[in-house]
Amino acid sequence: MSVAEEARTPGNGHVGRAMRRKEDPRLITGRASYVDDITLTNQLWAAWVRSPEAHAKIVSIDTSAAKALDGVVAVYTHEDLDMEAGLPMAWVPPGVEVNTPDHWVLAKGEVKHVGDPVALVVGKDRYGVVDAAEQVFVEYEPLPVVTDPEAALEDGSALVHGQFGTNKVCEWSLGGGDLEAGFAEADVIVERRIVNHRIAGAAIEPRAVLAEYRGDRLTVWSSTQVPHFLRLFLSILLGISEDRVRVIAPEVGGGFGSKLQIYAEEVGCAWASRKLGRPVKWVETRTEGMMVTHHGRDQIDKVRVGAKRDGTITAFHTTIIADIGAYQMLLTPMIPPLSAFVMCGVYKTPAVKTDVIDVMTNKFPTDAIRGAGRPEATHLIEVTMDQLAAELGMDPLELRRKNFIPPFTEAHETPIGVAYDSGNYEAALDRLLEHIDVAEVRRQAEELRPTGIYRGIGFCTYTEICGNAPSRIVGPSGFGLQGGGWESATVRVHASGSATLYTGTSPHGQGHETGFAQIVADRLGIDPSQIEVIHGDTQTGPFGLDTYGSRSLAVGGEAAARAAIKVADKAKAIVAHQLEADPDDIELRDGKFIVRGSPEKGMALAEVAGAAYVPENLPEGMEPGLDEQSFYDPENFVFPFGAHACVVDVDAETGKVEIVRYVAVDDCGPAINPMLIDGQVHGGITHGLGQALYEQVVYDADGQLVTGTFVDYALATAAEMPSFETDRTVTPSPVNSLGVKGVGEAGTIAGSATVTNAVIDALRPLGVDYMNMPLTPMRIWQAIHTASGPAATEQGKDLGEHGQGSSGSGPAGPTEGGAQ
Ligand code: MCN
């Protein structure tokens, strides 16, 4: 039996069960341990002096008053740092010239964004260091600021980093097919400027780090998604051999991409701990979280689509202007290009091209936030599909169906050279429509309209790329994180028959302890409760490449399955030896390794394990133990897909949007645990709807962060969300033996386009045919009042009579800098 066949054979039937999360009891009873719960003897605290200016020369720094304060142990500025390199940027597209400025742990000479760290204060008291930081006096000479990425590209713009003579970081293109011919044969061309504004990760647990340098060893506890990467870069930046660096990600309260980073605070605390010979701890405040934890999105997407009168799309061209902020962090310049990889969407468009221009501004850098490039691509494709449908006078679903790539079970090569693994987009849409009666929604909309409530329905059919990654593709793409995308797992069966799975993934809310235990349980014939899943500690776990890009199950879960199969194979050999049977005749059934055809002759794993550690029980030449490792490097990415629908009610008087229904059909291959999938989809959609309706990181024209707290940054909560209706189709991936695809980002990827299309659909009778996110009441109200449709005029008159006036100043409010 091949590995693939064997892995799909159900063992104890745990895979596919909606098992409750093993990790939840400790999380919901407050027994989990986060970085801030850890205190070491002799521990010091760190606080950072941060720039209040978005761009300025540092004229002088006076640390004397701070140093004189009781309890202050040290105050450091850039000159004290004996580090030869700054923070890492690890993904450079090959053959592309990238203007990469130094990014020091403490600013050197100039500050480039509000919050840029200028000094590090270390002292005995958590609050004392914050007071001391206020006693560090920095004289700044303000320099010209640029916050608008399009203005930043203009000649004569203020320069973020003068040495480059431009704010452009790089230009990069990906395309295929004959674009010119495609547009030439089009009957209709639609162009839109689609803004995908800046958002924050906003994890509930702020970032936190505790570093202890003792002897010649560094141990760092960090609220990170990437302990293995952090170990590597701490080793490089601090010049400590990698084997002497241990990184532990204890419980991590969410990351959403924002903890896929190597931060100044992590490196700075580790450096200070070595310097002072004492542990140093720092816990982010919420305002620091909004200010200096990386942001995401911030693209202006200029889209041009050509189609024939019957709806056949002939060409699709996008220019992305990506505002990447003041520096480039771990993956910054490559996040906008990631959009390009899925720019064909689920459609057979013959010619597709994406041009990316990365631009620097005086803002904090962007990097991966849930979806990282794919929500942006899906948003622009799917919003454009509705715009095109309106232009053609076609039903948006009919337009989608007309252009769907037909079902495929083996690789489908898109014109841009990306090979999708498997897909059945028709089936996902059909399943969606089993849940939602579009004609009935339209009837309800008619009925509601006289009350001033405008009901709309929006759709999104998407695919995305995840499961990072095949090293053969990722390595040559310039991805510099240990050169590839494999994952490793070790399954250790203890002599008494319980097991430990060590995974190189680093979950921070996704539920790997449950799903991965289910996978291993089925392959060993034990209960998932008998399997402990260990992760997030570079010393106890195997090598790993951590958790991001919805890679963990498709790569790390597969590695776990393979390690478990190796253990099962050895178990079979031991059983065969013990029962004097042929190893090929041993099979796992109902929790026992039995001789095929003789169910009474068999051994449970506990018996096998007992024998495995007593060499005299083993076949000649077999090593004792029941402990196996697997390194798995996939052949391709995986491409989940789905179809989402949203029904909204817009109150034309207030501009408020109410989400009436949200139905999601996602296909991530066979479910390991449907409850985990539902949880991921719910959270993902909330993220997408949050961006579309409420959330925005806003800087003013001087580069001041306006949204520094949750009062200003309107994070979506359960209260705003509807009760999600979810369903699935199952199209196995041929890439891995589990047949699985990722799902951690799917909801986010589809969410913003689905609700945006619904709101625009609702507003069409009011003459509003296009709007950019965030679809806040104010912007919707303004859009209604600047629209020209007959209903809008009526509505405007009514509102005018209520004394609110009817002239909006356009969708962008006065405080909204950057990509609008
Ligand atoms: N799963 C499953 N069956 C499938 C597919 C997935 O049971 N066919 C389960 C997996 O076992 C896993 C979960 O779904 O428990 C998500 O798996 P996967 O799609 O592989 O994603 P990752 O585990 O790699 O998680 C990363 C992804 C990303 S990139 C972000 S951002 C994100 C997310 O997951 N951030 C999160 N989900 C989050 N959830 C929480 N609670 N907190 C975050 O910060």
Side-chain angles (χ1 to χ4, degrees):
M1 200 184 278
S2 71
V3 170
E5 284 164 338
E6 177 140 5
R8 284 197 197 151
T9 307
N12 279 7
H14 294 296
V15 164
R17 264 179 58 203
M19 235 187 95
R20 286 185 181 217
R21 301 202 324 172
K22 279 160 56 114
E23 42 277 81
D24 280 349
R26 69 169 190 272
L27 292 172
I28 60 181
T29 56
R31 283 179 289 123
S33 198
Y34 297 83
V35 174
D36 200 18
D37 295 317
I38 302 163
T39 299
L40 300 180
T41 313
N42 237 356
Q43 174 183 293
L44 299 171
W45 285 87
W48 301 81
V49 177
R50 300 190 181 279
S51 169
E53 300 283 345
H55 194 191
K57 188 165 175 239
I58 301 170
V59 179
S60 64
I61 306 175
D62 181 355
T63 59
S64 54
K67 280 179 175 158
L69 288 175
D70 233 20
V72 171
V73 173
V75 181
Y76 300 114
T77 63
H78 179 84
E79 280 59 44
D80 301 306
L81 290 179
D82 42 12
M83 262 183 258
E84 276 168 24
L87 299 171
M89 191 270 276
W91 198 352
V92 184
V96 178
E97 209 172 299
V98 183
N99 290 327
T100 304
D102 287 335
H103 187 190
W104 297 104
V105 168
L106 291 169
K108 181 182 179 184
E110 281 187 16
V111 288
K112 305 294 185 184
H113 62 84
V114 161
D116 217 351
V118 174
L120 166 60
V121 179
V122 186
K124 292 178 182 159
D125 177 63
R126 182 175 194 156
Y127 304 101
V129 287
V130 177
D131 290 342
E134 287 175 8
Q135 297 300 312
V136 174
F137 299 105
V138 187
E139 192 188 335
Y140 297 99
E141 187 183 305
L143 295 168
V145 169
V146 60
T147 58
D148 178 332
E150 287 177 309
L153 286 173
E154 282 168 15
D155 286 346
S157 162
L159 294 178
V160 180
H161 295 274
Q163 74 267 29
F164 300 119
T166 173
N167 289 314
K168 195 185 285 182
V169 171
C170 62
E171 279 187 67
W172 183 90
S173 291
L174 183 69
D178 189 339
L179 206 65
E180 217 176 297
F183 280 116
E185 64 173 319
D187 299 318
V188 174
I189 293 177
V190 169
E191 296 185 60
R192 290 289 177 272
R193 180 180 184 276
I194 296 180
V195 177
N196 208 303
H197 60 275
R198 189 174 270 247
I199 57 168
I204 293 300
E205 186 208 10
R207 287 193 292 124
V209 56
L210 170 59
E212 182 185 40
Y213 190 84
R214 187 198 281 249
D216 62 351
R217 281 166 197 280
L218 173 68
T219 305
V220 172
W221 290 260
S222 180
S223 179
T224 181
Q225 293 174 225
V226 288
H228 292 91
F229 293 154
L230 183 55
R231 173 180 59 174
L232 174 72
F233 286 111
L234 284 171
S235 152
I236 295 170
L237 293 174
L238 300 179
I240 307 171
S241 168
E242 204 180 341
D243 59 295
R244 313 274 154 86
V245 181
R246 176 181 184 184
V247 176
I248 302 168
E251 214 71 75
V252 175
F256 309 106
S258 70
K259 294 174 183 170
L260 161 52
Q261 194 53 269
I262 310 298
Y263 281 105
E265 294 82 3
E266 293 171 309
V267 180
C269 287
W271 175 85
S273 172
R274 180 170 63 177
K275 194 94 182 153
L276 298 167
R278 292 175 67 175
V280 176
K281 184 171 179 177
W282 170 78
V283 179
E284 183 184 73
T285 64
R286 185 55 68 186
T287 296
E288 284 179 307
M290 299 308 293
M291 191 185 277
V292 292
T293 291
H294 75 237
H295 300 146
R297 321 277 191 257
D298 217 348
Q299 294 186 0
I300 296 169
D301 303 316
K302 296 176 181 168
V303 189
R304 189 161 184 254
V305 58
K308 294 204 170 141
R309 189 55 55 209
D310 69 358
T312 306
I313 300 173
T314 54
F316 197 94
H317 182 217
T318 308
T319 303
I320 297 175
I321 297 173
D323 180 346
I324 64 156
Y327 300 104
Q328 293 150 42
M329 298 189 73
L330 198 63
L331 307 175
T332 299
M334 275 309 279
I335 300 301
L338 280 179
S339 298
F341 291 110
V342 285
M343 208 52 100
C344 294
V346 290
Y347 309 114
K348 50 190 181 205
T349 313
V352 176
K353 183 162 186 258
T354 310
D355 298 311
V356 180
I357 304 168
D358 284 349
V359 189
M360 288 181 274
T361 59
N362 293 109
K363 301 176 187 167
F364 197 72
T366 53
D367 207 308
I369 292 291
R370 203 173 197 168
R374 292 103 79 210
E376 294 91 320
T378 302
H379 186 87
L380 72 87
I381 296 167
E382 288 300 300
V383 167
T384 303
M385 287 303 281
D386 269 29
Q387 297 292 304
L388 178 62
E391 187 70 32
L392 291 165
M394 233 175 134
D395 174 61
L397 293 182
E398 195 191 323
L399 176 67
R400 284 174 170 82
R401 283 192 197 277
K402 174 130 205 121
N403 289 284
F404 275 157
I405 298 165
F408 55 101
T409 51
E410 294 295 332
H412 168 89
E413 184 110 2
T414 63
I416 58 174
V418 174
Y420 294 175
D421 60 344
S422 61
N424 190 343
Y425 311 131
E426 283 275 354
L429 182 54
D430 289 345
R431 180 67 61 85
L432 181 79
L433 295 176
E434 287 171 20
H435 293 273
I436 198 152
D437 181 345
V438 182
E440 173 58 17
V441 176
R442 297 251 175 255
R443 197 195 58 71
Q444 293 162 353
E446 291 290 332
E447 210 170 273
L448 281 169
R449 210 163 290 155
T451 67
I453 298 296
Y454 286 74
R455 178 161 287 188
I457 183 164
F459 297 92
C460 167
T461 48
Y462 77 95
T463 187
E464 62 126 334
I465 180 170
C466 64
N468 195 21
S471 301
R472 74 181 172 89
I473 301 176
V474 174
S477 81
F479 189 69
L481 299 174
Q482 307 205 357
W486 46 265
E487 193 49 86
S488 82
T490 298
V491 173
R492 179 170 301 160
V493 180
H494 306 283
S496 56
S498 65
T500 306
L501 165 68
Y502 298 91
T503 170
T505 66
S506 194
H508 41 281
Q510 293 86 352
H512 298 181
E513 289 172 39
T514 309
F516 286 19
Q518 288 175 267
I519 293 169
V520 173
D522 271 5
R523 279 146 192 84
L524 298 185
I526 56 176
D527 193 83
S529 63
Q530 293 173 274
I531 300 166
E532 192 183 9
V533 179
I534 305 281
H535 55 79
D537 182 340
T538 61
Q539 186 147 306
T540 59
F543 279 105
L545 294 183
D546 304 321
T547 287
Y548 58 92
S550 302
R551 68 184 300 273
S552 301
L553 180 62
V555 193
E558 173 72 11
R562 288 173 179 238
I565 289 171
K566 284 188 187 176
V567 169
D569 284 346
K570 188 167 180 185
K572 285 176 186 169
I574 295 170
V575 172
H577 177 70
Q578 292 273 315
L579 302 182
E580 295 177 352
D582 186 328
D584 287 343
D585 285 341
I586 306 298
E587 63 179 12
L588 179 61
R589 183 163 294 215
D590 299 331
K592 266 194 160 179
F593 291 92
I594 58 158
V595 180
R596 190 169 293 118
S598 313
E600 72 291 350
K601 282 179 82 179
M603 292 170 76
L605 187 71
E607 295 170 88
V608 183
Y613 289 94
V614 182
E616 69 193 47
N617 293 330
L618 301 178
E620 182 81 28
M622 181 184 271
E623 291 177 10
L626 208 46
D627 187 335
E628 299 288 344
Q629 184 169 34
S630 173
F631 274 80
Y632 167 66
D633 193 352
E635 262 304 296
N636 193 3
F637 298 94
V638 288
F639 296 82
F641 60 90
H644 288 204
C646 181
V647 179
V648 296
D649 279 350
V650 182
D651 184 334
E653 199 163 345
T654 62
K656 188 168 182 292
V657 176
E658 190 195 332
I659 305 160
V660 179
R661 282 185 76 189
Y662 195 103
V663 190
V665 172
D666 294 285
D667 193 321
C668 53
I672 299 301
N673 181 330
M675 195 187 284
L676 291 176
I677 295 179
D678 274 348
Q680 288 297 304
V681 170
H682 290 190
I685 298 170
T686 304
H687 218 135
L689 297 186
Q691 171 174 15
L693 298 176
Y694 318 113
E695 300 172 30
Q696 182 176 25
V697 171
V698 179
Y699 286 88
D700 70 10
D702 296 325
Q704 292 298 324
L705 179 69
V706 177
T707 48
T709 71
F710 278 151
V711 173
D712 316 288
Y713 187 86
L715 188 72
T717 70
E720 288 82 34
M721 293 298 116
S723 183
F724 298 114
E725 299 162 59
T726 58
D727 199 352
R728 277 182 295 284
T729 53
V730 178
T731 308
S733 170
V735 173
N736 57 70
S737 72
L738 299 166
V740 295
K741 308 181 178 197
V743 77
E745 295 159 291
T748 312
I749 287 164
S752 72
T754 311
V755 71
T756 300
N757 283 338
V759 170
I760 296 173
D761 183 61
L763 296 179
R764 275 189 206 283
L766 290 163
V768 178
D769 56 13
Y770 182 68
M771 272 196 76
N772 271 317
M773 304 182 289
L775 304 166
T776 58
M778 178 186 80
R779 291 166 64 122
I780 289 178
W781 191 90
Q782 287 174 331
I784 292 171
H785 286 266
T786 49
S788 54
T793 316
E794 275 309 297
Q795 201 68 39
K797 222 189 312 160
D798 288 352
L799 292 166
E801 281 164 15
H802 285 98
Q804 295 181 39
S806 60
S807 64
S809 57
T815 58
E816 301 173 33
Q820 295 305 328

